[in-house]
Amino acid sequence: MNRPILILIYLLVFNFGSAQKTSFIIPDSLKKKTYDYLDNRLYDLKNDSTLASVYAYTFLNKAKREKNPKEIMNGYQNLMLISPDRIRTIYIDSILYTAKKSNDNALIGAAYLSKGTYYYGLKQQKLAMDYYLTANTYLSKTNDQYQIHKVKYCIALTKFYVGFYDEAVSLLRECVYFYKNVESRPYLNSIHMLGLCYNKLGNYGLCTQMNTLGISESRRLKSNVMIPYFNHSEGINDYYRKNYSESINKIESSLDAINENKDFANVAIGNFYIGKSYWSINKKEKAVEHFQIVDNIFKEKKYLRPDLRQAFELLINYYKTNNNLDNQLNYINQLLKADTILVENNKYIISKIHKQYDTKELVSEKERILIEKEEIANDLKKEKYYDLIFVLIIFLLFIFIFWQTRRHYRKRLIYEKNYKLLMDELDGVKNKPKNKIEKEPIKDINSETIALILKQLEKFENEKKFLEKDWNLVSLSAAFNSNTKYLAAILNYYRDMRMHEYINGLRIEYIINLLRTEPIYRKYTYAALAQEAGFSSTQRFANAFLARAGMPVNYFIDQLKKSTS
């Protein structure tokens, strides 16, 4: 450790330990300087912590002399900025102590928010979320919209981490709208996270729009800090679009700046997707180098996002192919550790991950490799062992093929039955009225309001406005000049549906009618049909069609073609 850092640590620890009993002497040249001046000078010198500490202590002592709790908290924030990681918790606790002493809900909420942000930076998601929720409890009692939206942004980050992308999008849209004319950095951060959510939702076009907007707005606002992050995000988006060379170039171009920010999480994410791109173009040796960086960050920082888990699976696959049992065993152990951490952070995450190796299989595989290594070392019945494994695999494969074949034929029978039922329904045999007018009106809602909303729903259906994208309970309530509670209750009572079932059902019925009456649509791709019906992704369209019709789209089209011929 160099001498300036040792001096700084001594000053910081001594200052805290003495609790300011030994007064810091403010240089004469700084005595009449404003908080803004001291703050700007501190930021300019943040890379030289010894010089920056003079401005940090001047700021804090000025705030304490003036008994200004808000600026005292900012003073501790400044000390955090220039302090080594291992003593930052001291200043986090000082911020919270100062806030509680003030009895100001806004300051207490901001302090808990700072503590949550600190733990989020360490990627301790559970602790971060606890503090965010506590911050929200205090801030909800105030009208501090800046801090309230900051909580929304932080909770959106955690929702993104656990896979609640739609909910994160809703919060981030609010943040983008609020911060646009308030402050550049949270505005740009919100755009960046919104793009990442769209990528996870499979809407790569909207992700690109957000990244392009982010770069454009960064230049307009003369704030270039986030530009590498937008390039990083677009590089990941390019991977999903199978533009592997562009993905590698964009992410690599962003990593130097991200490294300078000590943002180990995005360094790991970037290397993971560079590795995945190399793997996709069959440059597996290069891919392994980048996956090993992900592993090194996991070892050092204990950071792992659910999607990064696949790095260990691919490393296991690589070393299995090369018959390197030592490395294979090493990465199986790493994967087991990764799963333990992910389970501890959030059980929901694990339930959503498609794992080639679940914990039970990994333990079994680990034991098999240990036995195999022992047998290789002792040269005991090696060939016989592999013959047995081969026979077992063939047997399991036969069972699997038999099961799949049986399952296929059973599904065909179900589809045939569902097709007949659907055609009967469409021909008028089992038509059901959309409005249940025979029901008594809902007691808690004015009958005129019910009639108006039902009329608006009918107009909405007749004019096929459901084909427009991004309808949800909030947007449709706004379009009807109503509220979400009334609309949800009326849909549930008169349509027997929740919002997403209602919209998806209308869209699928529209597509079914087109496929029956307009043969040209039977030649459309799934993506084109999804676009025609207003779905944001092909997968969502396919799932909605299966749920409504009881059969896949291709089966329905094939049956229509057969009946026509």
Side-chain angles (χ1 to χ4, degrees), residues 375-540:
E375 287 178 348
I376 290 171
N378 298 320
D379 199 25
L380 297 173
K381 302 179 181 178
K382 183 178 178 181
E383 292 182 8
K384 197 175 202 179
Y385 177 77
Y386 283 119
D387 286 344
L388 182 61
I389 293 295
F390 178 74
V391 170
L392 180 60
I393 290 171
I394 294 298
F395 175 73
L396 292 174
L397 187 60
F398 173 78
I399 294 296
F400 177 74
I401 292 170
F402 174 78
W403 176 77
Q404 283 286 76
T405 304
R406 186 168 177 270
R407 184 167 173 261
H408 171 75
Y409 281 108
R410 288 183 67 186
K411 275 190 174 182
R412 296 290 291 188
L413 289 172
I414 293 169
Y415 294 159
E416 286 175 16
K417 179 182 176 182
N418 288 342
Y419 178 78
K420 185 177 184 307
L421 290 172
L422 180 60
M423 298 307 288
D424 287 345
E425 180 185 338
L426 295 172
D427 289 335
V429 176
K430 294 185 178 179
N431 279 331
K432 293 180 181 178
K434 290 182 179 179
N435 290 342
K436 297 188 174 182
I437 57 175
E438 75 278 1
K439 282 192 173 183
E440 292 293 327
I442 303 172
K443 291 182 180 179
D444 296 337
I445 306 175
N446 184 283
S447 59
E448 292 180 1
T449 301
I450 293 172
L452 176 61
I453 292 177
L454 287 173
K455 188 174 180 181
Q456 288 172 317
L457 285 171
E458 185 178 351
K459 183 180 178 184
F460 177 78
E461 294 160 9
N462 291 337
E463 294 179 0
K464 297 183 172 55
K465 288 189 177 181
F466 53 80
L467 297 177
E468 298 172 14
K469 292 184 179 179
D470 296 328
W471 282 116
N472 56 42
L473 195 59
V474 175
S475 59
L476 191 57
S477 299
F480 288 176
N481 198 25
S482 181
N483 63 58
T484 56
K485 182 179 177 182
Y486 284 1
L487 181 57
I490 289 168
L491 282 175
N492 187 55
Y493 190 71
Y494 289 96
R495 294 288 196 270
D496 286 333
M497 296 178 189
R498 289 178 293 180
M499 178 65 190
H500 73 277
E501 294 172 332
Y502 172 67
I503 294 294
N504 287 351
L506 290 173
R507 289 171 174 173
I508 295 304
E509 287 174 10
Y510 172 76
I511 284 297
I512 287 173
N513 186 54
L514 282 183
L515 291 170
R516 284 191 76 204
T517 58
E518 303 288 342
I520 187 66
Y521 284 94
R522 298 170 195 171
K523 298 178 182 179
Y524 277 30
T525 63
Y526 279 13
L529 288 173
Q531 186 73 21
E532 181 71 26
F535 284 93
S536 59
S537 74
T538 306
Q539 188 59 51
R540 289 188 176 191

Side-chain angles (χ1 to χ4, degrees), residues 1 3-22 24 42 46 48-61 64 74-92 94:
M1 186 181 293
R3 187 172 178 179
I5 294 296
L6 285 170
I7 293 170
L8 175 63
I9 292 174
Y10 173 77
L11 284 172
L12 295 174
V13 174
F14 177 76
N15 177 69
F16 182 80
S18 62
Q20 300 296 316
K21 290 176 185 176
T22 303
F24 169 78
L42 168 70
K46 65 179 180 180
D48 187 340
S49 51
T50 305
L51 289 176
S53 64
V54 176
Y55 294 94
Y57 279 118
T58 299
F59 188 109
L60 182 60
N61 277 267
K64 286 187 174 182
N74 288 333
Y76 286 124
Q77 287 276 18
N78 289 336
L79 285 169
M80 277 184 62
L81 181 68
I82 61 172
S83 301
D85 292 342
R86 59 184 170 275
I87 64 171
R88 288 185 177 182
T89 52
I90 294 172
Y91 297 111
I92 280 288
S94 297

Side-chain angles (χ1 to χ4, degrees), residues 276-318:
K276 289 261 285 179
S277 293
Y278 277 125
W279 191 276
S280 298
I281 58 178
N282 207 30
K283 292 186 177 180
K284 295 186 177 179
E285 292 79 8
K286 291 280 289 182
V288 165
E289 293 175 14
H290 292 278
F291 294 148
Q292 287 170 341
I293 294 174
V294 176
D295 177 46
N296 290 336
I297 291 172
F298 175 61
K299 287 176 181 173
E300 183 180 348
K301 303 291 187 179
K302 296 293 182 287
Y303 173 71
L304 193 72
R305 208 170 70 176
D307 52 341
L308 305 193
R309 181 189 184 281
Q310 193 187 14
F312 297 108
E313 295 180 347
L314 295 174
L315 285 165
I316 293 167
N317 178 283
Y318 176 80

Side-chain angles (χ1 to χ4, degrees), residues 136-176:
N136 189 54
T137 301
Y138 284 97
L139 291 171
S140 62
K141 300 174 185 175
T142 75
N143 195 33
D144 190 339
Q145 292 301 314
Y146 181 90
Q147 294 292 349
I148 287 170
H149 280 82
K150 195 172 178 183
V151 170
K152 288 183 179 182
Y153 174 80
C154 291
I155 290 178
L157 294 185
T158 308
K159 284 183 178 290
F160 173 84
Y161 179 82
V162 299
F164 296 128
Y165 305 121
D166 285 318
E167 294 177 26
V169 164
S170 179
L171 291 170
L172 290 167
R173 281 176 175 167
E174 291 184 47
C175 293
V176 169

Side-chain angles (χ1 to χ4, degrees), residues 36 116 182 215 262 265-266 286 313 320 355 361 399 463 483 556:
D36 285 342
V182 175
I215 292 172
K262 298 180 180 178
N266 276 303
K286 291 280 289 182
E313 295 180 347
K320 181 181 284 188
K355 297 183 290 187
E361 289 173 333
I399 294 296
E463 294 179 0
N483 63 58
F556 181 69

Side-chain angles (χ1 to χ4, degrees), residues 221-236:
L221 296 166
K222 297 179 181 178
S223 175
N224 296 328
V225 176
M226 287 300 296
I227 289 178
Y229 287 90
F230 289 116
N231 287 326
H232 185 275
S233 171
E234 190 58 24
I236 294 170

